[in-house]
Amino acid sequence: MLKLNRLSYNFGSNWALKDISFSLEKGDYLYVTGPSGAGKTTLLRLIFGLLPVTRGKAEVCGFTMNGIHRSALPLLRRQVSFVFQDFKILPHRTVAENVALALQARLMPEQQVRKRVRAVLRGLDMERKADTRCEVLSGGEQQRVAVARAVVTNPQLLLADEPSGNLDPELSLRLMDVFRHFNSFGTTVILATHSRELLSSHKGAKMLQLENGQMAGASAVNAPPDAEATQYAALRRQS
Ligand SMILES: Nc1ncnc2c1ncn2[C@@H]1O[C@H](COP(=O)(O)OP(=O)(O)OP(=O)(O)O)[C@@H](O)[C@H]1O
Ligand SMILES: [Mg+2]
């Protein structure tokens, strides 16, 4: 479902990512950790086609990301959702309107849209805010809208960038339950986080640790067979 082979990315002379190789199967749950500036967001942006894959290779949900045409990105994004670090929700629209947008874009009948939106908002304890404009919500509430919008389309792959950054510990755990709930129905999840607690609370999840754009550690992550795995083998011995 996802295969990266020596994926690298530079902003000018700064290598934000260097030689990242791993693969994920459907239903996997991967935490990407590492300090600020380690390359977590850059990795997710490459997977979502927000940055071009020019060094190394990436395959995502059957799409080859190298040279992917702009017209194919909407098709990719029918299968891949992204919860952004800065939410990217529409402030003047209501909660329900924000969450409904992606379903309406797929021409889902309005009654079905309303049902799905309510169900997802209920799961995130946001039902009573459904008709509130997003600009007046708290940071944590906005974050939950961003999550609702990403999961409402039932993606094959869910990318989440620090999704619990603005939440108190209890809500943060609840949110993790939501992700795990979707994961248990087969959605593959990649979650970038600084939080060690989140990791330690999820036994059996895969983990990739980034430092200065490089793989500094990994557990239970498969390297693709055709990766030049010298560096990777060294990492595996450490972890
Ligand atoms: N648009 C950009 N232009 C130039 N450099 C960038 C850009 N975006 C990221 N970088 C650089 O790439 C590196 C990786 O950044 P990235 O945002 O991927 O880190 P991160 O692990 O997500 O950090 P954080 O935990 O703070 O979100 C950093 O050195 C950053 O300064
Ligand atoms: Mg980031």
Side-chain angles (χ1 to χ4, degrees):
M1 104 96 52
L2 178 115
K3 193 164 160 186
L4 308 182
N5 195 348
R6 306 202 70 178
L7 183 65
S8 303
Y9 194 84
N10 59 305
F11 292 101
S13 60
N14 175 21
W15 285 93
L17 275 187
K18 198 92 174 87
D19 286 339
I20 305 299
S21 298
F22 67 86
S23 63
L24 294 179
E25 304 296 330
K26 178 175 160 55
D28 278 347
Y29 200 123
L30 174 74
Y31 289 94
V32 179
T33 66
S36 183
K40 303 181 295 295
T41 299
T42 304
L43 176 63
L44 297 182
R45 292 176 74 198
L46 284 163
I47 292 171
F48 198 57
L50 289 170
L51 292 171
V53 174
T54 49
R55 299 286 192 115
K57 282 193 198 151
E59 279 174 36
V60 181
C61 294
F63 291 81
T64 301
M65 300 305 289
N66 299 67
I68 189 169
H69 196 268
R70 279 179 59 161
S71 62
L73 290 176
L75 297 175
L76 171 83
R77 291 173 191 165
R78 282 185 169 224
Q79 298 179 41
V80 186
S81 288
F82 199 134
V83 182
F84 292 95
Q85 207 164 6
D86 59 358
F87 317 140
K88 298 202 193 302
I89 51 182
L90 303 173
H92 305 308
R93 301 285 194 93
T94 68
V95 168
E97 284 167 352
N98 265 279
V99 179
L101 276 177
L103 299 177
Q104 287 160 342
R106 289 168 199 203
L107 305 178
M108 185 182 273
E110 205 43 46
Q111 202 182 351
Q112 219 175 320
V113 169
R114 270 201 297 275
K115 234 170 120 181
R116 289 266 289 268
V117 168
R118 294 280 161 180
V120 168
L121 289 179
R122 197 176 316 126
L124 286 159
D125 200 14
M126 284 292 286
E127 208 180 8
R128 70 208 151 80
K129 299 275 182 180
D131 300 317
T132 304
R133 280 196 326 282
C134 286
E135 60 195 346
V136 303
L137 297 176
S138 75
E141 288 167 343
Q142 292 189 32
Q143 195 137 31
R144 281 180 281 163
V145 176
V147 171
R149 197 186 43 185
V151 298
V152 78
T153 56
N154 256 331
Q156 282 191 42
L157 175 62
L158 178 61
L159 308 171
D161 200 357
E162 289 288 351
S164 61
N166 283 281
L167 302 181
D168 59 51
E170 196 191 312
L171 266 179
S172 169
L173 285 178
R174 285 264 308 278
L175 185 59
M176 291 307 116
D177 283 344
V178 170
F179 286 134
R180 284 164 80 162
H181 175 76
F182 275 87
N183 178 244
S184 72
F185 285 103
T187 300
T188 308
V189 178
I190 304 181
L191 195 155
T193 180
H194 295 113
S195 167
R196 295 232 142 239
E197 287 103 84
L198 283 189
L199 271 168
S200 53
S201 70
H202 192 166
K203 298 265 179 300
K206 301 182 176 217
M207 190 273 290
L208 173 71
Q209 193 184 348
L210 294 178
E211 252 165 56
N212 295 321
Q214 303 197 1
M215 287 172 68
S219 69
V221 176
N222 313 316
D226 52 344
E228 290 261 351
T230 348
Q231 174 206 9
Y232 189 80
L235 291 171
R236 279 232 284 232
R237 277 196 296 277
Q238 287 166 18
S239 60

